[in-house]
């Protein structure tokens, strides 16, 4: 079973901060949501090259949890 980790998703948004689209996912994985959140400012600094008026970032869970894997095994 893979452990649950967190990654930072980088999003480009319209001027109002709405209508965001995920553009990238940082390659680093974090063991806790708190560690991920602490890394968000640095991730934003690394991704200023995106051509959007607003760039944002959020931490997202990644990795299969046991229930997800069981479902995936039945489907595949």
């Amino acid at each position: 079973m893979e452990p649950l980790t967190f990654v930072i998703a980088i999003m480009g948004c319209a001027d109002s901060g709405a209508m965001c689209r995920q553009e990238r996912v940082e390659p680093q994985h974090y063991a806790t949501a708190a560690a991920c959140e602490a890394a968000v400012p640095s991730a934003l600094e690394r991704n200023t090259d995106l051509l959007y008026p607003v760039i944002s970032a959020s931490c997202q869970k990644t990795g299969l949890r046991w229930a997800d894997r069981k479902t995936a095994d039945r489907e595949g």
Side-chain angles (χ1 to χ4, degrees):
M1 180 174 13
E2 294 177 36
L4 179 65
T5 59
F6 296 84
V7 293
I8 299 174
I10 306 297
M11 283 134 343
C13 306
D15 282 325
S16 65
M19 295 176 41
C20 295
R21 177 179 161 184
Q22 182 175 310
E23 289 295 318
R24 298 180 181 149
V25 174
E26 288 276 293
Q28 178 69 39
H29 288 247
Y30 302 91
T32 65
C36 184
E37 291 294 334
V40 164
S42 295
L44 286 171
E45 288 177 18
R46 286 190 297 276
N47 288 279
T48 57
D49 63 318
L50 293 174
L51 299 176
Y52 286 90
V54 177
I55 305 293
S56 67
S58 68
C59 292
Q60 298 179 352
K61 293 178 187 177
T62 186
L64 291 175
R65 292 179 297 276
W66 188 81
D68 292 341
R69 177 169 286 190
K70 187 175 178 182
T71 301
D73 289 346
R74 270 190 265 148
E75 292 174 357

